[in-house]
Amino acid sequence: MALRIVDTKYYPKYHIASPGGWINDPNGFCCYKGKYHLFYQYHPHSAEWGPMHWGHVVSEDLIHWNHLPIALAPTEDYDREGCFSGSAFEKDGKLYLIYTGNNRDGQVQSIAESEDGVHFQKHPEIIIPPPEGEQIHRRDFRDPKVWQNDDKYYMVVGSRTEDELLGQILLFESEDLISWKFKNIMARAEGNQGFMWECPNFANIEGRDILIISPQGIKRERNKYMNVFQSGYFIGKVDYEKGIYIHGDFELLDYGFDFYAPQITETADGRTIMIGWADMWYNIMPEHDDGWAGMMTLPREIHVKNGKVFTTPIKELQKLRTSEKSYNDLKFYKPMKFDGVSGKTGELILDIDLTETTEFEIYLRTSKDKTQKTVLSYNKALELFKINRNESGAGGDGERECPVSAADKMKLHIFLDRSLVEIFINDGEKVMTSRIYPRTDSTDIVFVPKEGGFKIDSLKFYELGVAIPQPVVD
Ligand code: FRU
């Protein structure tokens, strides 16, 4: 039995969240027989991390999700200490889950198979141990992601060097998805890029090979890399013959407090989309006292623009809108609230004119006396967008910042969902995801001008419907 949820004050309306107990990384994101499946690292028995299972949700439209039974539980010698992260792959009508078996002796990759996408059969005879090699750590060997290129299957696995100093990604090759040959160390940390690379993901988008990694051990550089671990990407090209990856710089995928271990998949109509864990290791999660811990980001579509990855909320989300408030050509010099623009949940879209407005603040989830608020701000001269949660309520405090170049216009697309805020800046050029835990009566949104007033070409606010089963609390 999963842990019971006893209070829903922080529980999201339209983001995938724990059905009771603890969740972390998304796993096995895929489209199988016309439905979208997302699995996740799950500890059903407490709101703390523990022996990992794979929880499971399914959706027909990528918006409305339903819970399915637990797909994998730690039952075998090789996964006794947990069914760790991994990916899914469809072949000959069957769905394969390729995951890490964590056991007392270390980590191996293993496979489970399903004909209906709900019930999974493990294959204890298929165990992929860490490859022998001077430079490969024997115990940190996890989080496989499988894809197909021409007529072969490939798998990347997170790893580190034996001296524990550098994160790296191992590449494997297979003809049949069952027997795997180690190809090479495909990429390795250079400089301040961490001592362990977790959760690799891979996609070819418009001819470019994108490798996503979640490195541990990147050191803070001024106000960058302030979270304990990071998630980011490289753009480059895989040389499948040699098994190496030539790539550009490491770039973050999200600049907020809470984003980790994203998984990507392709939609039926060919878009590459991504879901991340909207939390961060060791952050305070007050929902823990309510019988659950952890949630996912919205699905985000990945594009490559000007040599960088942009991520935007998928267009299907528009179907969740239940009412719209719209204001145009605003210019004001003192803090303003707008009728119908408030709430614990909702979607806010702003087109801001930055020709005269060079600095502004927006307070989300604000109490009537303004003592409780989550402060977003932009300073054009400093070219910095910030989120500050010192007065957000329960949970952790602090500030995160994100570089946004000065321009004449800025577009903000913000999703609020009870204990989460996702901010998309300039059509997904930058994104900031953060958990916040305000009181339920802190619902105002306040627009605060600085010098030059606040000029907003267009302000839209949408109320959004329920898309996730809501826990019943009695
Ligand atoms: C990343 C991670 C993975 C591992 C999983 C265990 O958050 O540490 O590397 O497979 O979580 O739950």
Side-chain angles (χ1 to χ4, degrees), residues 156-172:
V156 274
V157 182
S159 163
R160 69 201 299 196
T161 48
E162 201 159 32
D163 59 14
E164 306 194 339
L165 293 177
L166 300 173
Q168 61 190 10
I169 298 299
L170 311 180
L171 181 70
F172 291 74

Side-chain angles (χ1 to χ4, degrees), residues 24-25 41 49 52 84-85 142-143 198-199 260 281:
N24 54 283
D25 314 356
Q41 290 286 281
W49 189 86
M52 283 287 111
F84 274 18
S85 286
R142 58 179 174 273
D143 312 333
E198 298 190 309
C199 300
Y260 199 60
W281 287 108

Side-chain angles (χ1 to χ4, degrees), residues 240-461:
Y240 284 95
E241 271 310 303
K242 296 193 183 121
I244 53 167
Y245 178 60
I246 309 298
H247 60 81
D249 293 339
F250 177 72
E251 302 281 349
L252 290 177
L253 279 165
D254 194 293
Y255 289 76
F257 289 90
D258 294 285
F259 180 84
Y260 199 60
Q263 277 260 325
I264 50 182
T265 194
E266 210 175 286
T267 58
D269 62 359
R271 290 169 289 157
T272 304
I273 56 170
M274 168 177 90
I275 288 183
W277 180 35
D279 290 287
M280 179 54 69
W281 287 108
Y282 317 123
N283 279 357
I284 304 167
M285 292 157 83
E287 76 265 33
H288 173 274
D289 296 340
D290 300 338
W292 66 284
M295 60 193 284
M296 299 297 164
T297 67
L298 291 173
R300 301 172 180 177
E301 185 173 340
I302 299 186
H303 323 261
V304 180
K305 219 158 109 183
N306 310 326
K308 297 272 191 288
V309 164
F310 281 51
T311 56
T312 50
I314 54 166
K315 60 176 193 287
E316 285 87 341
L317 284 159
Q318 293 169 16
K319 285 194 278 178
L320 259 188
R321 295 172 181 169
T322 54
S323 72
E324 173 181 335
K325 273 278 172 190
S326 176
Y327 297 86
N328 290 312
D329 301 322
L330 302 166
K331 177 97 196 248
F332 48 95
Y333 294 86
K334 59 177 185 23
M336 290 279 286
K337 292 192 265 186
F338 295 93
D339 199 30
V341 181
S342 67
K344 298 190 285 280
T345 64
E347 179 185 0
L348 174 68
I349 304 181
L350 298 168
D351 286 310
I352 300 167
D353 185 326
L354 291 175
T355 46
E356 294 149 45
T357 301
T358 55
E359 211 182 333
F360 63 81
E361 289 181 342
I362 299 169
Y363 302 162
L364 304 173
R365 299 298 307 269
T366 311
S367 59
K368 292 288 168 237
D369 62 3
K370 295 198 182 59
T371 54
Q372 189 165 80
K373 56 185 182 293
T374 295
V375 181
L376 312 185
S377 62
Y378 182 63
N379 183 315
K380 190 173 168 182
L382 298 177
E383 302 191 300
L384 285 179
F385 192 95
K386 296 184 186 176
I387 179 166
N388 184 305
R389 58 178 189 186
N390 285 341
E391 295 174 306
S392 289
D397 54 10
E399 189 166 78
R400 292 291 179 268
E401 60 182 46
C402 151
V404 180
S405 308
D408 287 348
K409 303 271 179 199
M410 171 177 280
K411 186 163 181 181
L412 294 180
H413 195 162
I414 299 171
F415 288 88
L416 286 168
D417 198 2
R418 294 203 181 124
S419 60
L420 180 72
V421 52
E422 285 179 277
I423 307 160
F424 296 86
I425 304 166
N426 292 338
D427 295 312
E429 181 188 341
K430 297 278 164 55
V431 189
M432 300 181 94
T433 303
S434 298
R435 300 294 303 275
I436 51 171
Y437 299 91
R439 291 194 310 266
T440 49
D441 61 350
S442 297
T443 54
D444 284 349
I445 300 178
V446 187
F447 297 85
V448 184
K450 298 279 159 177
E451 256 171 67
F454 204 156
K455 192 161 187 288
I456 301 177
D457 295 338
S458 153
L459 183 163
K460 289 187 171 25
F461 187 80

Side-chain angles (χ1 to χ4, degrees), residues 32-33 37 39 56 68 95 114-120:
Y32 175 65
K33 294 188 177 163
H37 291 256
F39 304 83
H56 190 183
L68 284 176
L95 186 62
S114 170
E115 306 245 1
D116 62 2
V118 179
H119 305 95
F120 290 86

